[in-house]
Amino acid sequence: MISFMIIFSLSDIFAYISRGDSYIGVQISNIIYFLMMCAGSFTWFLFICVKMGYSKSILKLLLYTSAPMALLTVAIVLNPVHGFFFTVDEANLYSRGNGLIITWIVEWGYMIAATTMNIIAAAKEKRSYKRSEYIGYIFFVLPLLLSALLQMIFYGTTTIQIGFMFAIFMVFVIRQSHQAQKDGLTGLNNKNAFLNYRDTFVNKNREYSLC
């Protein structure tokens, strides 16, 4: 996702530089911009599916869930032919097309599906430290939602990159916190995980035996 985010940001910068100067530059940079937006959402969806254990086979997961992404990718690449997602006029200036709504539906479809699976997993999880990790992933979508709304309302501003970076940083912090409770070699719970598990009994005033 970080790689997609870097390419996504660079394409937006290049689109701004090419604006009004290069027809090919505006076309290519905006195609990459659209593709990276979709790729980021799809990657997050795959991450949640694997993390929550919804699919044991990544190949089957890709087969069943990649169809919208694949179709949208082909349509975006062919945009210079049909101009459905965006157009570039004679002055080499970019304008949104009606197809932009389709990209939003696919992107947010993956996000909503991932968030829903996350909420279900958090509700079913009995271990407090795992539940807190899952709940943290739920908040991934909030900075993206806020930045996307701002960019839609204030046309011409660039806020979605900031939202993506904020969301990725949140995931990084959550992952680091979770890994602090795992042994790096065996993947088993360490002392920190044990203390957190013990605290669940102490905080609930439940009796427990320590052997």
Side-chain angles (χ1 to χ4, degrees), residues 97-149:
N98 294 329
L100 185 65
I101 298 175
I102 305 298
T103 66
W104 289 342
I105 291 173
V106 174
E107 290 160 13
W108 283 103
Y110 283 125
M111 286 292 184
I112 292 171
T115 303
T116 302
M117 290 188 295
N118 215 335
I119 292 172
I120 294 172
K124 291 181 178 180
E125 183 57 58
K126 296 181 179 180
R127 294 167 293 181
S128 60
Y129 76 94
K130 289 290 289 184
R131 191 186 311 114
S132 63
E133 180 188 7
Y134 293 165
I135 291 173
Y137 291 145
I138 294 172
F139 290 103
F140 174 87
V141 75
L142 295 182
L144 292 177
L145 179 60
L146 178 61
S147 60
L149 287 174

Side-chain angles (χ1 to χ4, degrees), residues 21-180:
D21 294 325
S22 172
Y23 175 84
I24 295 176
V26 175
Q27 282 282 4
I28 293 176
S29 59
N30 279 286
I31 286 172
I32 295 173
Y33 180 92
F34 276 72
L35 290 176
M36 292 304 103
M37 280 284 290
C38 299
S41 299
F42 183 59
T43 304
W44 175 248
F45 171 77
L46 292 179
F47 172 80
I48 291 298
C49 286
V50 174
K51 188 66 181 175
M52 304 301 161
Y54 284 104
S55 178
K56 301 299 181 183
S57 172
I58 190 67
L59 292 177
K60 288 184 178 179
L61 180 63
L62 286 171
L63 180 63
Y64 295 143
T65 62
S66 62
M69 175 67 189
L71 292 173
L72 188 60
T73 297
V74 173
I76 291 172
V77 170
L78 294 176
N79 185 79
V81 177
H82 51 69
F84 183 57
F85 299 102
F86 65 88
T87 57
V88 180
D89 60 20
E90 295 179 354
N92 296 326
L93 297 177
Y94 162 92
S95 298
R96 291 176 177 176
N98 294 329
L100 185 65
I101 298 175
I102 305 298
T103 66
W104 289 342
I105 291 173
V106 174
E107 290 160 13
W108 283 103
Y110 283 125
M111 286 292 184
I112 292 171
T115 303
T116 302
M117 290 188 295
N118 215 335
I119 292 172
I120 294 172
K124 291 181 178 180
E125 183 57 58
K126 296 181 179 180
R127 294 167 293 181
S128 60
Y129 76 94
K130 289 290 289 184
R131 191 186 311 114
S132 63
E133 180 188 7
Y134 293 165
I135 291 173
Y137 291 145
I138 294 172
F139 290 103
F140 174 87
V141 75
L142 295 182
L144 292 177
L145 179 60
L146 178 61
S147 60
L149 287 174
L150 288 173
Q151 189 157 323
M152 283 188 286
I153 294 171
F154 301 102
Y155 181 61
T157 61
T158 301
T159 58
I160 192 70
Q161 292 93 328
I162 299 173
F164 250 119
M165 291 306 297
F166 220 100
I168 291 172
F169 177 74
M170 288 173 57
V171 173
F172 174 77
V173 171
I174 294 167
R175 291 281 293 166
Q176 289 295 309
S177 176
H178 178 65
Q179 289 174 359

